[in-house]
Amino acid sequence: MLVSYKWLNEYLDLSAITPKELADKMSVTGIEVEGIDVPEEGLKKIVVGEVTACEPHPDSDHLSICQVDIGEEITQIVCGAPNVKSGIKVIVALPGSRITGNVKIKKGKMRGQVSNGMICSLQELGYGDSVIPKEYAEGIYYLPADAEVGKPVFPYLDMDDHLIELSITPNRADALSMRGVAYEVGAIYRQTPSFPPFELHEVETAAASKINVTVEDQADTPAYQIRIIEDVTIAPSPQWLQNRLMNEGIRPINNVVDVTNYILLLFGQPLHAFDYQKLNSQEILVRRGKEAETLVTLDGESRTVSGDDIVITNGQVPVALAGVMGGLDSEITATTTTVALEAALFDPLAIRLTSKKFNLRSESSARFEKGINQATVAAACDAAAVMIAELSGGQVLKGAVEGATVDVAPVSVAITLDRINRYLGTKIDQAEVEEIFAALGFTATLDNETYHVSVPPRRWDISIEADIIEEVARIYGYDRLPSTLPSGETVAGRLTHEQMLTRKVRTILEGNGVSEAISYALTTEDKAQQFTFTSSQVTRLDWPMTEDRAVLRLNLIAGLLDDLAYNLARKNSNVALYEIGRVFKQAGDSKKELPTEVNHVSIAVTGNVHNKDWQSQAQKVDFYHVKGILENLFDQLGLTKRISYTQTNQLQEMHPGRTAMIQLDQQVIGFVGQVHPTVAKAYDVTETYVAELDLDQLLQDTSAQTVYQTVSKYPAVNRDIALLLSEKTTNQTVNTVIVESAGRFLQDVRLFDVYQGKNIESGKKSLAYSLTFANPEATLTDEEINQAMAKITKNLEEKLQAEVR
């Protein structure tokens, strides 16, 4: 909403208040000011001129040589505007002046003819094409005949005004009008706005003899009336009215349409003017649209309406989209002599749906959607009728023809002074709160310490006690509200042990190139029961928003797979995500017991670990890549020696040959592996590897302390051992036997070769290990190492039937 400071001064005395001070005060009382614009800023030496002579340029078919009176002298200016002519008052930029865009005008020659300045269009003064009257859109602008030659042009165009841009929230739609803003500013500065009356003079002929109005459903249209103005002469609006509309961002059209837009700005009441003769009927019927019914709107577009749209009809066919846009066939034109002026209230939801459906957002539809002052519908219509009659020479027929009316009464809200002070923490006394009510224009009566506050209809946003408290706080001044610091003892905050470890898990995973994702905790029943390594019932919502969000999740992987699918659909093929979140396990009846919330951590990776480049081939993600991320995590948490892996085919959603359960001290805490190809296809993802762990259990068994050891000064010794085993024997089994047999000097076991094929009998495989021995207290002897190796060999042969190669 743009508020003209000069216009506002007509209703209030702001002579001692600068626009900047007003804007600052409004911002701290509840209506935010986006900025202040002064149209003349950046422009200078632009005056009124009169073209005394105009001749075609001898060397150009579109230029004219003009003699222009600029007050002190008559100067020559070459002009290219097609509408320049002798005897008009124009805008002249003198040599040395600045026009929009900080362009400097200089003396010069055009096709050999001297030009001392420029005759300007409105565009060259900064006006946008959308607000310039159409007759001047392609040429220069004509100033009023009474404009004084040689004087600065800015006052004639109200470019010396200050336009205050307000950011109006939906609950303060009352400020979408000059009257509403005047009441607001009046309350701030303890003034009562004074609005000049519109004196309505009617002729004896009754409007009801010319038209009949019917409203089919008063719920759609609570109020509707038509006034008739006859004998109008369509002409341009006076300069002051055009200036106001252009400064507010509205294009002047003619003296009838401009009045409806002016009243829209003044009252916040949308109006529409029909050409009475073009209605081809003496009836107005307001109803819902019929299927496949069409209407050509003012923008020239054909619209197909339906039962969702409210339309204004001539009894048979639509002539306007109610509250949104009028029809082309009944618009006001130069031939109009009788005007049917509409003022109404429409259902805000219906207007919003129609506006959205046809992508037609207008000043009228915005106000109908947010609300208008129901008490001034008739007053706004009367004011518009008075102005149209004055500006067009017409006469207003007697009475308004009403199809529906609405009774509006002030809203009464009860509140005590004690409650106001308790909420605001203030000590406002009775006299001050009554003065605030008076400033707001609220009538308040006191009855046994309770105020009964009567709120006028212009503030339809106020209906409850909290609204009154907010109004008192605004006008009292937010800056005057007391501020206190919290009392009591404070202690230094810190993270809990679990929070620190969770943060550490995040850091480790992100250090391995995995990015965090956050998924919905609600999902479908099928997805909730997938990828679970413990049994649980699902927890269903009684009233889910959608079927896709009907139960609480039992796993995190399903959400991560949805995230992978989203990325893959957008050509992001290499994705590595993790999530830390709660799953909801239900042991009994979900309607009687609350679920147990358990923290899990999950990883999902797809695509390439490394893309192909000039020196290496692409490397796809595989089981060992994800397992390596987990092993790094376990190592950083100090759990490596307590973790073991067991191949499994018990998870239906996982590949049976590429999945392992993860155990901590022989207790299952999660799994790692490849998503089954059929499941991956259902999620619309490529080959994907995932892992999920019970984070609560993992962190519970994590040592709070890290034990550091000094680097041994004695050398370590490496020994290799190659074994021939059954192909069904796992690395985990071999590793366990070696560790249990080697004794206290074994520091590390590493598998460095796996082989099956030529020279290896069928059903067998070769595994080669590198063993590292070290004694932190002395140098190991060959005898000690040989004893350990002999024991390892013996146990491998006896327990695993291994053959040492």
Side-chain angles (χ1 to χ4, degrees):
M1 174 69 184
L2 292 175
V3 175
S4 164
Y5 178 75
K6 291 174 68 173
W7 191 357
L8 195 61
N9 256 298
E10 295 178 8
Y11 309 132
L12 299 161
D13 181 12
L14 302 179
S15 57
I17 304 164
T18 67
K20 177 68 168 60
E21 291 170 345
L22 174 60
D24 291 343
K25 192 68 173 178
M26 292 186 73
S27 291
V28 299
T29 54
I31 297 183
E32 183 180 357
V33 174
E34 295 282 352
I36 302 174
D37 178 46
V38 183
E40 69 173 356
E41 279 188 351
L43 309 176
K44 67 176 184 177
K45 296 184 69 176
I46 301 176
V47 300
V48 177
E50 181 177 6
V51 180
T52 58
C54 182
E55 297 177 354
H57 195 293
D59 297 324
S60 173
D61 58 357
H62 70 279
L63 295 177
S64 301
I65 301 173
C66 302
Q67 303 302 318
V68 184
D69 184 359
I70 56 173
E72 298 178 355
E73 60 177 333
I74 295 179
T75 189
Q76 179 171 297
I77 299 177
V78 179
C79 180
N83 62 337
V84 66
K85 60 184 180 179
S86 177
I88 58 173
K89 300 285 182 68
V90 293
I91 304 167
V92 178
L94 301 174
S97 64
R98 296 278 181 177
I99 60 174
T100 188
N102 199 31
V103 176
K104 186 176 182 180
I105 303 302
K106 302 177 181 178
K107 291 181 179 181
K109 287 186 177 182
M110 298 182 70
R111 300 284 180 91
Q113 296 294 325
V114 174
S115 182
N116 297 316
M118 173 190 285
I119 300 177
C120 296
S121 66
L122 288 178
Q123 290 95 328
E124 286 156 338
L125 268 62
Y127 287 91
D129 291 337
S130 62
V131 303
I132 296 172
K134 289 185 177 179
E135 61 266 33
Y136 302 121
E138 301 298 330
I140 59 173
Y141 186 72
Y142 298 170
L143 291 171
D146 60 354
E148 188 174 349
V149 172
K151 295 293 184 182
V153 77
F154 307 122
Y156 290 101
L157 296 174
D158 283 331
M159 295 184 69
D160 56 347
D161 196 1
H162 290 70
L163 304 177
I164 304 172
E165 184 178 359
L166 304 182
S167 177
I168 306 298
T169 53
N171 66 310
R172 288 305 309 273
D174 62 289
L176 287 172
S177 68
M178 288 300 300
R179 288 168 63 98
V181 174
Y183 278 115
E184 174 71 12
V185 175
I188 294 171
Y189 289 103
R190 306 303 194 267
Q191 296 184 35
T192 301
S194 175
F195 302 107
F198 291 90
E199 297 183 7
L200 179 62
H201 300 287
E202 300 174 317
V203 297
E204 288 303 317
T205 304
S209 66
K210 298 288 185 178
I211 199 163
N212 179 55
V213 177
T214 305
V215 172
E216 195 172 83
D217 187 347
Q218 198 160 339
D220 285 341
T221 313
Y224 192 94
Q225 68 175 42
I226 292 283
R227 272 199 173 274
I228 302 295
I229 304 101
E230 290 186 332
D231 302 328
V232 302
T233 300
I234 302 301
S237 297
Q239 187 68 47
W240 70 267
L241 181 52
Q242 292 193 38
N243 291 346
R244 288 214 168 146
L245 295 181
M246 288 193 293
N247 281 345
E248 293 285 343
I250 299 174
R251 185 200 300 274
I253 306 295
N254 55 54
N255 50 359
V256 173
V257 176
D258 292 353
V259 167
T260 63
N261 286 327
Y262 177 81
I263 295 300
L264 170 74
L265 296 172
L266 178 59
F267 283 85
Q269 171 65 51
L271 304 172
H272 185 69
F274 298 98
D275 186 321
Y276 175 78
Q277 279 82 12
K278 291 180 182 177
L279 290 174
N280 298 320
S281 169
Q282 290 190 340
E283 181 181 2
I284 288 289
L285 171 62
V286 185
R287 59 170 170 82
R288 289 280 179 157
K290 298 176 181 178
E291 294 300 325
E293 205 168 28
T294 60
L295 164 70
V296 179
T297 48
L298 287 170
D299 57 1
E301 296 290 331
S302 179
R303 315 284 182 179
T304 301
V305 301
S306 67
D308 296 328
D309 309 307
I310 305 172
V311 293
I312 314 300
T313 73
N314 64 358
Q316 298 296 324
V317 297
V319 295
L321 276 175
V324 179
M325 186 173 285
L328 186 65
D329 293 340
S330 60
E331 73 169 329
I332 302 296
T333 62
T335 61
T336 300
T337 58
T338 302
V339 173
L341 183 64
E342 167 198 277
L345 287 174
F346 296 112
D347 175 45
L349 179 59
I351 300 303
R352 171 61 178 158
L353 292 175
T354 298
S355 176
K356 184 177 181 181
K357 171 182 175 181
F358 294 114
N359 194 25
L360 287 174
R361 297 289 293 166
S362 64
E363 294 289 337
S364 295
S365 66
R367 284 165 172 80
F368 277 125
E369 291 169 24
K370 296 175 182 177
I372 58 179
N373 185 358
Q374 299 183 4
T376 58
V377 176
C381 188
D382 291 348
V386 170
M387 289 188 65
I388 291 173
E390 289 178 355
L391 299 180
S392 68
Q395 53 186 10
V396 183
L397 300 195
K398 187 175 183 178
V401 184
E402 297 177 338
T405 58
V406 60
D407 294 326
V408 183
V411 173
S412 182
V413 181
I415 193 169
T416 64
L417 179 59
D418 178 65
R419 192 160 181 80
I420 293 173
N421 282 323
R422 272 195 295 114
Y423 266 79
L424 301 181
T426 54
K427 295 180 180 180
I428 303 174
D429 59 25
Q430 180 177 327
E432 190 167 10
V433 78
E434 290 177 357
E435 188 265 341
I436 291 173
F437 288 148
L440 288 164
F442 299 170
T443 302
T445 57
L446 185 60
D447 182 17
N448 291 330
E449 298 186 353
T450 299
Y451 282 103
H452 296 277
V453 183
S454 178
V455 182
R458 62 179 172 80
R459 289 301 306 276
W460 63 90
D461 59 305
I462 298 175
S463 59
I464 60 175
E465 191 180 68
D467 296 331
I468 297 293
I469 295 172
E470 180 185 8
E471 291 300 299
V472 171
R474 287 194 318 107
I475 305 305
Y476 178 74
Y478 290 128
D479 55 332
R480 295 175 61 193
L481 296 180
S483 57
T484 57
L485 293 174
S487 59
E489 296 181 359
T490 60
V491 295
R494 63 182 180 87
L495 298 177
T496 64
H497 175 62
E498 290 75 15
Q499 289 172 327
M500 287 190 290
L501 289 176
T502 301
R503 182 173 292 185
K504 184 176 182 180
V505 169
R506 283 193 172 93
T507 302
I508 295 168
L509 293 177
E510 289 167 6
N512 281 272
V514 191
S515 301
E516 185 172 16
I518 300 175
S519 306
Y520 286 112
L522 294 170
T523 184
T524 65
E525 187 164 340
D526 289 340
K527 288 184 178 180
Q529 293 177 313
Q530 294 176 339
F531 304 105
T532 56
F533 54 91
T534 57
S535 60
S536 173
Q537 301 293 325
V538 295
T539 304
R540 298 178 179 83
L541 300 188
D542 286 338
W543 299 100
M545 295 180 292
T546 66
E547 288 298 321
D548 292 339
R549 307 285 178 227
V551 301
L552 289 169
R553 65 188 177 188
L554 291 169
N555 71 87
L556 302 181
I557 291 177
L560 289 181
L561 292 180
D562 287 336
D563 295 339
L564 291 185
Y566 182 90
N567 279 272
L568 292 171
R570 287 154 181 81
K571 306 302 181 183
N572 185 15
S573 56
N574 303 327
V575 190
L577 300 175
Y578 80 93
E579 179 172 5
I580 294 176
R582 291 184 175 89
V583 300
F584 303 85
K585 297 184 178 181
Q586 184 67 254
D589 187 347
S590 62
K591 293 187 176 180
K592 295 181 180 179
E593 298 180 10
L594 292 175
T596 302
E597 299 183 25
V598 182
N599 281 310
H600 275 205
V601 57
S602 183
I603 303 171
V605 187
T606 189
N608 292 336
V609 180
H610 300 295
N611 287 326
K612 180 180 179 181
D613 58 27
W614 65 277
Q615 63 177 350
S616 61
Q617 296 297 316
Q619 180 185 349
K620 293 184 65 176
V621 171
D622 58 17
F623 173 88
Y624 298 103
H625 178 74
V626 179
K627 181 171 178 282
I629 294 174
L630 294 180
E631 288 180 340
N632 189 22
L633 173 65
F634 297 142
D635 182 59
Q636 295 287 326
L637 296 177
L639 298 174
T640 300
K641 294 183 179 180
R642 300 167 60 189
I643 294 292
S644 60
Y645 301 87
T646 305
Q647 182 181 345
T648 182
N649 56 8
Q650 300 301 310
L651 297 173
Q652 296 180 355
E653 297 80 23
M654 302 297 292
H655 192 299
R658 299 180 181 177
T659 303
M661 302 304 293
I662 302 172
Q663 297 173 321
L664 175 65
D665 296 335
Q666 309 306 314
Q667 184 174 355
V668 174
I669 62 167
F671 64 90
V672 59
Q674 180 186 345
V675 177
H676 197 286
T678 58
V679 177
K681 184 177 181 181
Y683 277 92
D684 203 15
V685 298
T686 54
E687 182 177 325
T688 302
Y689 292 86
V690 298
E692 183 152 342
L693 301 171
D694 184 331
L695 186 61
D696 283 342
Q697 190 173 352
L698 189 70
L699 299 183
Q700 183 179 2
D701 291 325
T702 300
S703 172
Q705 284 188 325
T706 300
V707 179
Y708 294 93
Q709 294 180 340
T710 59
V711 177
S712 175
K713 62 182 180 180
Y714 301 103
V717 178
N718 291 326
R719 290 288 179 91
D720 295 344
I721 184 171
L723 307 171
L724 188 64
L725 305 124
S726 169
E727 64 179 1
K728 295 182 179 179
T729 304
T730 65
N731 169 63
Q732 181 70 51
T733 304
V734 177
N735 198 299
T736 301
V737 172
I738 291 175
V739 170
E740 290 176 349
S741 306
R744 63 190 180 92
F745 296 138
L746 181 65
Q747 299 295 312
D748 184 44
V749 179
R750 183 172 60 88
L751 176 67
F752 67 86
D753 184 59
V754 178
Y755 177 74
Q756 279 184 288
K758 188 177 180 180
N759 299 326
I760 299 292
E761 65 180 280
S762 177
K764 298 284 187 177
K765 64 181 176 182
S766 173
L767 302 180
Y769 293 87
S770 176
L771 281 57
T772 301
F773 296 89
N775 183 353
E777 299 176 352
T779 299
L780 284 172
T781 63
D782 286 342
E783 183 180 354
E784 290 173 320
I785 296 173
N786 291 337
Q787 287 178 355
M789 291 298 299
K791 190 173 182 180
I792 291 170
T793 301
K794 179 182 179 183
N795 283 320
L796 288 171
E797 292 173 342
E798 292 178 354
K799 294 181 179 181
L800 304 180
Q801 289 74 51
E803 178 183 343
V804 178
R805 302 179 67 196

